[in-house]
Amino acid sequence: MNAFNGNTRVFCFVCGEEHQAVTYEEDGSMKCRIDCPRSPGKVIALSSDAAQFLRFRSFPAQKVERRQQFALLHVTDRCSMRCPICYASSGDGGARPVDEIVEMARRAKEAGVRSVSLTGGEPTEHPGLEEIVRRVSRDLGLRTALLTNGLALAADGSLAGRLRRAGLSKAVISFDTLSSDTSRAMRGGDYVAAKLRAFSSAAAAGLSLSANTTVCDLNLHEVGAVFRTLASRFPCMTHVLLQPFADFGRRDVHCRIDREQIVRALVESGEFPVSDPDHFIPAPNIPAFGVSVHPDCCAVCPVVVRGVGPNARMAPLSSPDALRRLCVRLASVDGRGIIPPTMKAAFAWFRCAGLLGLPLLGRRGIGGRVVLAVIDNLPDRDCMLADRIGRCGSALVCADGCLRPVCAAYRMGLERRK
């Protein structure tokens, strides 16, 4: 057993306190031993692949003052589905009053948040959804997205357009599998065709798109095909977020999957356009924007897509060395001087990606558009590294109106109404 990073600290979800801990490598995996009075010597798995975990840790990760840029706004506990793997345990609960939701969004804006995503439950179950979108986006000026299972968008062909006219910018639709049998096992029904219709409806309304894919042992082998289908079929797709299965909420029926397993599954799938895991980088830090992301969180692989449909061609945006240099350059961007930090960040991106990386060329696949494969890394059900919480740029607007790091807040059930 070789110690890595010596002593560290973890935040315990059981007792709500921080404890001393140590991370170490054992049999090719990364583990963490925690000194918790309630369970002395408890060990949790950080990663199944120590080499890849440590490679992500080797990227520049300068710490800056946390400024949450993005927040989830829980609008209802109601849901039109009863997914066996749901992390939120939603069902027949109530909906927050519209005024209360708008006030929570206002507080988030005052705290520095620039964009919010409406979530639940299933936000399309809220009877005042269009008013919420209009007041949050038009009146408060926040970029507003919708996290949805897509069933309402598929059933009502005019809903996406009405939400777009109200001010909605983006639809984020859950999509886990291309298999009807797997959909039944994961989501309780065959929703594959309906969800694809939802993407088409949102795209036709002019909304930007992304997908949330929950990955467990049932669909791990499909992640390459899911990415290829969505990235090639919908030109306004910006990213596919692959979220590892985690054992909280109702998610207690399948084995735990981690970030590194999904990386391996993608590169070995034959469907994903890269075969080298070094094309994945941790989400970059940009100090000038107040963005500081812990390297144990998301992994990102930018993919260039040319064309639309089954004949679309895909390739990695750049080489692993160039992507690493991009991380270094973005971490060095500051707000000093006469050049705006946005220009500095854009120049760093251009030096890495060249003309292929310019979104201007790729909206309809003319010269290639960039779609990000993003792999999340959810915490253990009992605790997570304290420095991850301290650097989180994503927040949940909790029931008390406070902003809290999203992974920890959902794990502790702080999204629910008091």
Side-chain angles (χ1 to χ4, degrees):
M1 182 177 73
N2 298 319
F4 170 67
N5 274 0
N7 292 329
T8 187
R9 296 187 68 82
V10 300
F11 179 81
C12 179
F13 298 139
V14 176
C15 61
E17 298 178 356
E18 287 190 13
H19 305 305
Q20 292 287 343
V22 62
T23 57
Y24 60 92
E25 182 177 351
E26 182 178 76
D27 298 328
S29 63
M30 288 300 302
K31 296 184 177 180
C32 181
R33 187 177 64 249
I34 304 159
D35 185 16
C36 176
R38 296 192 181 187
S39 53
K42 178 179 176 60
V43 174
I44 63 171
L46 294 177
S47 173
S48 61
D49 187 335
Q52 189 68 4
F53 179 91
L54 296 176
R55 188 184 76 85
F56 287 133
R57 278 286 187 100
S58 73
F59 278 72
Q62 65 188 80
K63 186 172 182 179
V64 298
E65 181 182 354
R66 184 177 73 201
R67 185 190 310 152
Q68 285 143 336
Q69 307 281 306
F70 161 80
L72 296 177
L73 190 56
H74 186 94
V75 301
T76 180
D77 291 333
R78 298 175 189 168
C79 191
S80 53
M81 296 172 65
R82 298 294 184 273
C83 302
I85 61 168
C86 182
Y87 62 87
S89 299
S90 298
D92 299 319
R96 281 196 172 108
V98 172
D99 288 344
E100 180 182 325
I101 294 168
V102 174
E103 174 61 20
M104 294 172 71
R106 185 189 64 78
R107 293 184 187 180
K109 181 178 181 180
E110 290 177 349
V113 165
R114 298 178 179 178
S115 62
V116 295
S117 289
L118 307 179
T119 184
E122 169 52 43
T124 58
E125 291 286 298
H126 197 295
L129 180 60
E130 290 180 51
E131 182 183 356
I132 293 169
V133 171
R134 182 171 57 254
R135 292 177 63 181
V136 171
S137 62
R138 305 290 191 199
D139 298 348
L140 295 180
L142 291 169
R143 187 174 187 271
T144 308
L146 180 73
L147 302 186
T148 176
N149 60 34
L151 298 189
L153 297 178
D156 182 352
S158 67
L159 178 58
R162 298 199 308 270
L163 292 173
R164 179 75 176 106
R165 289 189 293 273
L168 190 70
S169 298
K170 190 181 191 75
V172 184
I173 301 172
S174 62
F175 188 88
D176 309 310
T177 177
L178 298 164
S179 162
S180 297
D181 290 340
T182 303
S183 177
R184 292 188 189 98
M186 293 181 66
R187 299 295 180 181
D190 180 5
Y191 300 115
V192 177
K195 287 175 177 286
L196 290 172
R197 287 199 305 273
F199 281 113
S200 296
S201 178
L207 292 170
S208 174
L209 291 178
S210 66
N212 280 357
T213 300
T214 298
V215 183
C216 65
D217 56 324
L218 294 175
N219 66 335
L220 180 62
H221 66 286
E222 283 190 81
V223 290
V226 166
F227 178 89
R228 176 170 288 276
T229 296
L230 297 177
S232 63
R233 186 165 178 171
F234 303 105
C236 48
M237 185 73 60
T238 62
H239 68 274
V240 177
L241 174 63
L242 300 156
Q243 295 182 304
F245 171 87
D247 49 357
F248 51 86
R250 286 198 294 264
R251 296 167 116 180
D252 58 356
V253 291
H254 301 288
C255 65
R256 180 179 174 85
I257 301 294
D258 65 30
R259 175 185 61 179
E260 282 69 45
Q261 286 175 279
I262 299 176
V263 170
R264 289 199 303 272
L266 282 170
V267 300
E268 294 172 2
S269 68
E271 300 273 3
F272 195 69
V274 303
S275 57
D276 183 350
D278 284 356
H279 277 98
F280 287 84
I281 59 174
N285 291 277
I286 311 178
F289 301 155
V291 177
S292 179
V293 183
H294 195 278
D296 292 354
C297 294
C298 293
V300 180
C301 180
V303 173
V304 175
V305 183
R306 298 183 182 89
V308 180
N311 296 322
R313 294 170 294 141
M314 297 187 185
L317 175 67
S318 196
S319 69
D321 287 343
L323 291 173
R324 176 177 282 274
R325 289 195 298 271
L326 173 64
C327 283
V328 173
R329 289 181 179 126
L330 290 177
S332 67
V333 170
D334 58 44
R336 295 172 294 181
I338 60 173
I339 301 176
T342 50
M343 293 287 291
K344 295 180 182 179
F347 183 66
W349 175 266
F350 177 76
R351 290 189 65 182
C352 165
L355 289 174
L356 290 178
L358 294 179
L360 179 65
L361 296 180
R363 181 74 177 187
R364 291 293 169 186
I366 298 171
R369 61 191 185 276
V370 177
V371 182
L372 301 179
V374 183
I375 304 177
D376 209 349
N377 195 21
L378 296 179
D380 185 87
R381 69 178 304 151
D382 293 328
C383 55
M384 70 184 295
L385 297 181
D387 54 351
R388 281 188 64 178
I389 294 179
R391 294 172 57 179
C392 185
S394 300
L396 185 77
V397 186
C398 296
D400 58 5
C402 296
L403 297 179
R404 292 186 175 88
V406 65
C407 287
Y410 264 116
R411 174 61 189 89
M412 300 176 75
L414 298 178
E415 84 282 5
R416 309 298 287 272
R417 294 188 67 190
K418 286 188 172 181

